[in-house]
Each structure stands twice: as C-alpha cells, then as structure tokens.
C-alpha cells in the first residue's frame, strides 16, 4: 500500500473503500444498476472498514482464508474470528457475498470430508444476519483441487434452508454408488462427522488417526467393493474412493513414521529411528507409485503437472533425517567415552 501522508490517515481497507465509492459514483452515471463488488477480509483489505462508510451501491465479496474446517460462522470454534465478519456485515448492511472454500482442495487437504456441519453453521449465520450472497469457489471440471461433493452439498444446503446435509449425503451415496450405496453412505457419513481426519491425512497425524482410516476401509470400503462387483460403473466409482483412501493412509503413514523416527533419534534410539525411517520411505514409495497411477489415468484425481511436488516436503524431511541418522551413527560414542565432536565442515 502507498505510504504517503494522505493515505496514512486511513487504514488500507478504508482507502480501498473510498476509492471504490468513487468508482461506483462515476459508473452510476454511465451504467446505472451495474453491480460493483470489492474484496474484503483478506489481501489488502484484511480488516473491516472503520472510518469510511461504503456507498450503498457497493457490495463486498468477503473471504476468510484462515478458518478451520470446524469453524462454521455461527459455531463456538469461530467465536474469536466472528467479530471481523460481524463488522463487515454491519458496514455493508448485508450486501455481502460470503466467499466459500468448501470445494477447494488447495486451501483444504485433498482428502477432505463433506463439510456438512460447517455449512449448516454458515447457513445459520447467513440467515440470521441478512447476508444476501454466497459463492463457492469451484475449480474447473476434471481438476484435482476441486471437491465436487462439497460443491454439490453447498448448492443444496443454501438452495433449501431446511435441508439436512446428512440426509442429502445419504441420498447422494444411494443414487451414485448403486448396489454399494449403503456402505458408501455410512462411509460418507463417517467422514462428514469427523472432518479433522481428512485434514490430519496431510499433517499432524497420530497413530489413532491412521487406525481410524484403516478401520473405515475394513468396515465400509471392503464391503462396498464386494457389493459393486459385476457392475462396472459402480465398481469404478467405488474404486476411485478406495484408492484415494489408500493414498491418504500411505501419506499419513509416511508422516507418522518419519515423525516417530525424528523423536526416536532425538531420544538416542538409533536402531528404532532407522526402522521408522525405513518404514516412512516404504510408505512414501508406495504413495508415489499409487499417485503416479492415478495421475496417468487423467480423470481429475491427481494432476500429472503437480503430482511430484506433493511429496516434496516428506521427501525433504526424510532426506534430512537420513543425513542426521548417518551422522549420529558415525559419531555415536561407545559406552564410557566422551561424546564425539562433530567436525565442522564450513569453508
Ligand atoms: Zn498515498
């Protein structure tokens, strides 16, 4: 933002709104009725307006990039962030389009479950505060950063304010997965009721998260595969979910093993660290092989252009641990001797 004396009198948001007020006033002469919307909530307009009142013809497209999957606008989880949204809605008197990332695997994990609870909480807030616009970001068809089920669910939830997302998900599964409808309905329901599991599949996973994924596979997916046998369409649809689930398990397994390796290494358990690190490497290799397969099929599950980069953070962590482990093994003191000095190799 400009740092001159004049601009410093107001916040960046207020300056933008003053600018946009001018744009609206001028456009109204040439094109009365043209809807103008400015961005709010992030980028240069992170804070709500304070000193400049938006023109009554100006709208705001408001987004909260930071919120978590459990933070519906009306929820307790969102209590600390809600003040900003309240202020935007007041300043614009409800002329707000809330910009939703429900269907965005770029912001979320790409193993995200249906955001049923968040949508219901959002809907409650939107209705209670007279917000008149909702927009869901949707990547193009076939693009892997797009969570189609969340896009569909959001459409239904906001189209009919009485709709229950869990009922809708069940309808969806029974219609889409044919003979495998019942176990797939139960599977979607489980994901919708524990959305943090999907997030954990990309970072911060613990052993019991992986246990939950394995349990889901045994309880729902194996049965769905059995029931879909003989129907190629159902079989293909179930296989899509099964393989993405497997990928989630492998990636989660990689991270848990390498985190464990780092912990064991820090505790001085070199053999244990070695074992876990090998496990991490095996998981990662299996994950990459599966992802390559999915990418080659080019059906919107994984983009070949992005595929490899997904594994880079885990690869780097594993390489760094390997280096540490090798150095530790080399300088590991035998019992009774003083700790060896690691020689400095700085030029
Ligand atoms: Zn300036």
């Amino acid at each position: 933002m400009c740092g001159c004396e004049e601009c410093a009198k107001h916040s960046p948001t207020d300056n933008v709104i003053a600018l946009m007020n001018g744009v609206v006033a001028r456009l109204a002469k040439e094109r009365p009725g043209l809807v103008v919307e400015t961005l709010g909530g992030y980028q240069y307009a992170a804070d709500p307006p304070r000193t400049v009142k938006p023109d009554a013809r100006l709208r705001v497209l408001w987004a909260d990039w930071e919120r978590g999957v459990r933070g519906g606008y009306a929820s307790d989880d969102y209590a600390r962030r809600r003040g900003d949204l309240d202020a935007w809605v007041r300043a614009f008197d409800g002329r707000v389009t809330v910009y939703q990332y429900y269907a965005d695997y770029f912001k979320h994990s790409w193993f995200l479950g249906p955001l049923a609870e968040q949508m219901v909480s959002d809907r409650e807030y939107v209705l209670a505060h007279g917000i008149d616009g909702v927009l869901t970001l949707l990547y193009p068809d076939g693009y892997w950063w797009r969570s189609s089920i969340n896009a569909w669910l959001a459409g239904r939830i906001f189209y009919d304010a009485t709709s229950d997302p869990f009922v809708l998900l069940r309808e969806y599964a029974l219609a889409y997965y044919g003979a495998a409808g019942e176990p797939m309905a139960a599977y979607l329901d489980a994901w919708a009721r524990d959305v943090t599991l999907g997030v954990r599949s990309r970072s911060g996973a613990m052993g019991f998260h992986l246990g939950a994924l394995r349990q889901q596979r045994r309880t729902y997916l194996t049965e769905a595969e059995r029931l879909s046998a003989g129907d190629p369409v159902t079989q293909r649809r179930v296989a899509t979910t099964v393989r993405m689930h497997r990928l989630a398990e492998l990636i989660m397994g990689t991270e848990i093993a390498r985190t464990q390796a780092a912990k064991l290494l820090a505790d001085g358990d070199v053999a244990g660290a070695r074992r876990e690190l090998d496990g991490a490497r095996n998981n990662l290799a299996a994950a990459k092989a599966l992802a390559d397969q999915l990418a080659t099929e080019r059906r919107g599950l994984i983009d070949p252009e992005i595929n490899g980069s997904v594994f880079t953070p885990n690869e780097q962590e594993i390489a760094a641990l390997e280096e540490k482990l090798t150095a530790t093994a080399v300088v590991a003191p035998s019992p009774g001797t003083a700790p060896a000095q690691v020689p400095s190799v700085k030029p």
Side-chain angles (χ1 to χ4, degrees):
M1 298 301 289
C2 172
C4 81
E5 207 176 294
E6 196 55 35
C7 292
K9 288 177 184 167
H10 299 281
S11 75
T13 300
D14 288 304
N15 281 328
V16 167
I17 287 174
L19 176 76
M20 294 308 293
N21 283 348
V23 169
V24 166
R26 284 173 63 183
L27 270 172
K29 292 175 196 153
E30 304 291 327
R31 267 293 308 275
L34 183 72
V35 175
V36 180
E37 221 168 28
T38 187
L39 281 180
Y42 68 163
Q43 291 188 332
Y44 45 77
D47 300 321
R50 284 192 299 267
T51 53
V52 176
K53 188 167 169 45
D55 187 293
R57 292 163 293 192
L58 181 64
R59 302 182 52 84
V60 66
L61 179 64
W62 178 90
D64 183 349
W65 171 261
E66 301 284 334
R67 76 166 167 158
V69 290
R70 298 186 55 81
Y73 299 139
S75 71
D76 289 345
D77 277 52
Y78 200 70
R80 287 174 61 194
R81 307 178 71 80
R82 195 155 44 233
D84 275 1
L85 174 54
D86 289 345
W88 281 101
V89 175
R90 269 199 311 275
F92 279 83
D93 199 20
R95 299 185 311 279
V96 179
T97 304
V98 281
Y99 188 97
Q100 308 295 70
Y101 297 101
Y102 301 134
D104 177 11
Y105 284 155
F106 180 73
K107 169 175 166 28
H108 298 296
S109 159
W110 25 281
F111 300 110
L112 183 69
L115 292 169
E117 286 171 353
Q118 190 184 69
M119 288 178 197
V120 166
S121 174
D122 288 353
R123 183 174 67 185
E124 183 188 328
Y125 183 93
V126 161
L127 290 173
H129 292 79
I131 290 174
D132 65 0
V134 177
L135 182 149
T136 298
L137 169 68
L138 191 59
Y139 286 101
D141 197 13
Y143 197 63
W144 81 323
W145 277 343
R146 152 178 165 147
S147 168
S148 301
I149 194 161
N150 272 313
W152 172 82
L153 196 57
R156 296 289 302 265
I157 286 296
F158 284 98
Y159 183 77
D160 176 358
T162 66
S163 56
D164 176 340
F166 292 99
V167 172
L168 291 172
L169 284 171
R170 184 171 159 74
E171 266 175 30
Y172 177 98
L174 294 182
Y176 188 69
Y177 293 106
E182 285 295 344
M184 291 308 290
Y187 176 77
L188 283 182
D189 193 83
W191 272 78
R193 292 186 197 276
D194 183 9
V195 281
T196 51
L197 186 61
V199 179
R200 295 289 186 171
S201 65
R202 290 294 305 280
S203 77
M206 312 278 275
F208 68 86
H209 293 117
L210 186 55
L213 283 186
R214 285 179 177 151
Q215 189 59 42
Q216 286 181 346
R217 177 159 48 83
R218 289 190 204 110
T219 311
Y220 311 119
L221 297 182
T222 306
E223 177 68 356
E225 278 179 308
R226 193 181 67 75
L227 292 171
S228 68
D231 174 4
V233 174
T234 302
Q235 219 164 13
R236 182 180 165 89
R237 289 174 177 174
V238 169
T240 297
T241 305
V242 169
R243 291 197 295 167
M244 289 305 280
H245 189 96
R246 179 78 188 126
L247 188 59
E249 280 183 54
L250 289 168
I251 292 176
M252 198 186 264
T254 303
E255 197 189 300
I256 289 173
R258 75 160 169 77
T259 307
Q260 188 62 14
K263 189 180 171 299
L264 291 172
L265 186 60
D267 293 347
D269 181 354
V270 175
R274 163 58 57 202
R275 188 188 63 235
E276 291 294 333
L277 194 58
D278 288 346
R281 198 181 286 107
N282 291 341
N283 263 287
L284 185 61
K288 285 174 80 170
L290 180 52
D292 282 347
Q293 247 180 47
L294 294 170
T296 308
E297 290 176 15
R298 287 190 171 274
R299 53 186 179 116
L301 296 174
I302 289 185
D303 278 357
E305 295 77 15
I306 306 166
N307 181 22
S309 63
V310 166
F311 300 103
T312 308
N314 262 317
E315 275 172 341
Q316 286 172 344
E317 291 289 338
I318 288 174
L321 269 170
E322 182 64 57
E323 214 167 284
K324 263 195 212 169
L325 193 57
T326 308
T328 309
V330 167
V331 301
S334 53
T337 63
Q341 293 292 312
V342 180
S344 168
V345 293
K346 279 180 190 156

